[in-house]
Amino acid sequence: MTLMEVWTSLILLFAVCCILAGFFPVSHPWLTNKATGLVRNAGADSCSIGSLKVVAWRSITLQRVFIEERIDIDHEYRFGFSEAKIAANLFQLLWNRKKIRSAVLSGEPDVFKSLYLKPAVTAERLLHAKWYLQEVKRMHISDLRFSVKLKAREILRGNNGEMEFGGGDESPSGSDIKIVFPFLKISGDGIENMRCTVSFTSTGEAVVQNCTATYYEGKIKAQGTIDLQDNRIDSYLLTIEKMDLAYWYAVHVGIGEISGRTSVRLKGNDVPLETPLRQAEVKITVSPCVINDLPVQQSLATALFIPSLSSVEFSKVTARAVIEPGDTINTAFSGTGDQIEFSTTGWVRSDGLMQHYLDGTFSGGMLGSLPPFIGKTLEKTRDGRRRFRCRLFGTFKDPRFELDKETLRRAVGTMFDDFRRELQGRDTPTAR
């Protein structure tokens, strides 16, 4: 064997060993420290990685990762996970590392601060980097947890989450992100069993689909399309079916009681991502519905001298609202039941002020509880019920009623008629 043949054999043997080595896991503190340094250079205030394992031709595995970012004195967030498995070719990622870094950072060195302040912008940058991340075939993150704080108050928290990045035949771009969280806490509210799929289109849109969850025993379904380039929601639809209103009302309001199973439908088109409720249409249905001791009821019961109004049952109550830009929300309510039927139109402001025009009709057992004076004052309908109209204004905690002019005219007329009859009764001579 010649010297040239020996060198050729050694080179081939070395190449085979390098190739084979790429199929075996490698773990070293140097790799872990290098990965930690890359995260900190991207802007993270704090980062710790328990271990990093590489199979050069196949995968990268990160374990026990924790990252913290403090935006300013009022804003901070933390997130971490137990393990992330990335199916990718390490050498191809290293080959494109400069292009990936340029696409993700795009003139903004602190990607973690941008993730908090400009989530849509960050998502768009990741979308631009997608072309150079074709080597990432799949990624799975287990035991994902995060916490977001505003002025030392936790406004968002999630634990034990799962995320999977990978191909999907149904997604517009052939790739999507699947997210699962057993429990999320949003401003004190608990959302359970959240599942969602987010797909990305080639035109810079994020498509949210197959989103489900449980909220106060109600079933949530949501879908929508977000334009990442314009930072706007093209359209969205959110529904909640059979939510426990009594539980929700006790937690969020706690003044009086409202019970019943509630369905909610929230729809919006072409709205800013930061304010998704602007220019939205809302429909809420409660069936059946029992209302006890609300300030509105107590005020109406006092105005009409009907104490039984403090507890009312409805077979169905419906609320509709159109939320426009500004502080005023146009609303309409209606309710049907054996005791009373009503409908209102008006508005509510963000500072709590409201004004509604109410049209109500007493029927059934409620007629028997009307004081004689009120029974004569209210307008009599063709089917023998009693009707009233009034203006509701003030605030929810301090509502006020003003009867319409026709009802007041009848009330004054009834009062004078009763007074005249009483005088006439006194003037009538007593039989001897």
Side-chain angles (χ1 to χ4, degrees):
M1 181 178 291
T2 64
L3 182 61
M4 178 62 69
E5 291 175 333
V6 171
W7 276 108
T8 302
S9 298
L10 289 174
I11 291 172
L12 290 174
L13 180 62
F14 178 76
V16 170
C17 290
C18 289
I19 294 172
L20 291 176
F23 291 98
F24 291 92
V26 176
S27 181
H28 192 276
W30 181 85
L31 292 173
T32 304
N33 294 334
K34 189 68 175 177
T36 303
L38 288 174
V39 175
R40 288 178 175 170
N41 290 338
D45 291 333
S46 176
C47 173
S48 64
I49 300 175
S51 66
L52 186 149
K53 182 172 64 178
V54 174
V55 181
W57 304 112
R58 290 182 174 177
S59 65
I60 304 168
T61 302
L62 296 164
Q63 292 183 326
R64 302 184 302 282
V65 175
F66 176 80
I67 296 173
E68 182 176 14
E69 176 73 8
R70 188 177 182 86
I71 308 301
D72 51 41
I73 192 172
D74 293 328
H75 304 80
E76 65 176 286
Y77 72 93
R78 304 174 180 179
F79 74 92
F81 49 83
S82 295
E83 184 177 77
K85 292 184 177 181
I86 307 169
N89 186 310
L90 176 63
F91 295 117
Q92 290 179 336
L93 289 177
L94 291 175
W95 180 263
N96 286 320
R97 67 186 185 278
K98 291 183 179 179
K99 296 178 180 178
I100 294 172
R101 180 180 177 84
S102 175
V104 173
L105 296 180
S106 185
E108 181 112 21
D110 194 337
V111 67
F112 291 96
K113 182 176 290 186
S114 177
L115 180 64
Y116 185 99
L117 298 176
K118 306 173 183 177
V121 174
T122 304
E124 183 185 2
R125 290 173 183 163
L126 291 174
L127 190 64
H128 288 166
K130 179 179 177 295
W131 174 258
Y132 306 108
L133 292 171
Q134 295 295 326
E135 296 80 11
V136 179
K137 305 301 181 184
R138 189 172 297 277
M139 179 189 300
H140 184 269
I141 301 175
S142 58
D143 189 22
L144 177 63
R145 53 198 180 276
F146 65 90
S147 172
V148 179
K149 290 186 177 181
L150 175 62
K151 295 182 178 180
R153 177 175 174 267
E154 188 177 68
I155 59 173
L156 186 62
R157 175 165 61 89
N159 290 320
N160 304 320
E162 302 281 333
M163 292 185 68
E164 185 170 344
F165 300 71
D169 296 335
E170 297 179 359
S171 64
S173 64
S175 65
D176 53 38
I177 303 173
K178 296 180 180 178
I179 306 170
V180 176
F181 269 96
F183 181 82
L184 290 172
K185 189 175 182 181
I186 304 176
S187 297
D189 270 351
I191 297 179
E192 301 176 299
N193 302 319
M194 193 281 287
R195 296 176 177 272
C196 189
T197 300
V198 182
S199 305
F200 297 95
T201 70
S202 58
T203 56
E205 292 180 326
V207 181
V208 180
Q209 53 193 348
N210 301 325
C211 188
T212 61
T214 302
Y215 179 68
Y216 286 93
E217 300 183 6
K219 302 300 181 182
I220 294 178
K221 292 183 180 180
Q223 62 185 41
T225 302
I226 303 171
D227 189 327
L228 297 175
Q229 296 181 356
D230 291 339
N231 202 28
R232 299 183 67 82
I233 301 176
D234 290 340
S235 64
Y236 73 89
L237 175 64
L238 183 147
T239 61
I240 307 176
E241 296 293 336
K242 297 182 178 180
M243 185 184 78
D244 186 350
L245 181 59
Y247 186 17
W248 182 92
Y249 188 85
V251 171
H252 291 271
V253 184
I255 303 175
E257 298 177 347
I258 303 180
S259 63
R261 288 293 172 175
T262 305
S263 296
V264 180
R265 188 176 188 271
L266 184 64
K267 181 180 180 181
N269 294 283
D270 192 24
V271 295
L273 184 60
E274 296 83 359
T275 55
L277 293 180
R278 295 298 186 191
Q279 297 172 247
E281 299 177 9
V282 184
K283 180 182 178 181
I284 302 173
T285 303
V286 187
S287 179
C289 181
V290 180
I291 305 176
N292 295 316
D293 297 325
L294 264 62
V296 172
Q297 286 177 276
Q298 295 172 354
S299 180
L300 183 59
T302 301
L304 296 179
F305 303 99
I306 309 174
S308 58
L309 278 176
S310 60
S311 180
V312 183
E313 296 183 12
F314 296 94
S315 57
K316 181 179 177 181
V317 172
T318 302
R320 297 177 182 270
V322 177
I323 306 174
E324 300 287 353
D327 295 332
T328 302
I329 303 173
N330 295 317
T331 57
F333 297 86
S334 64
T336 58
D338 294 335
Q339 298 170 290
I340 183 175
E341 296 182 3
F342 76 93
S343 62
T344 74
T345 57
W347 51 264
V348 178
R349 281 193 351 196
S350 58
D351 59 4
L353 289 176
M354 62 177 176
Q355 177 167 275
H356 282 81
Y357 292 92
L358 187 150
D359 192 326
T361 304
F362 294 118
S363 60
M366 185 66 74
L367 290 176
S369 63
L370 295 178
F373 173 79
I374 297 300
K376 297 175 183 177
T377 299
L378 301 182
E379 177 186 352
K380 189 175 182 180
T381 63
R382 292 181 179 180
D383 55 3
R385 298 186 297 172
R386 295 291 179 173
R387 184 180 184 183
F388 69 96
R389 299 183 184 90
C390 63
R391 181 172 73 100
L392 168 64
F393 62 101
T395 65
F396 178 78
K397 292 183 179 180
D398 183 23
R400 301 179 185 183
F401 282 93
E402 178 183 82
L403 294 174
D404 71 323
K405 294 181 179 179
E406 184 62 25
T407 303
L408 287 174
R409 185 188 64 78
R410 282 195 300 270
V412 173
T414 300
M415 181 179 65
F416 277 105
D417 287 342
D418 289 346
F419 183 64
R420 186 179 67 252
R421 291 191 188 97
E422 184 179 350
L423 290 178
Q424 288 174 349
R426 290 178 181 178
D427 292 340
T428 302
T430 303
R432 293 185 179 180

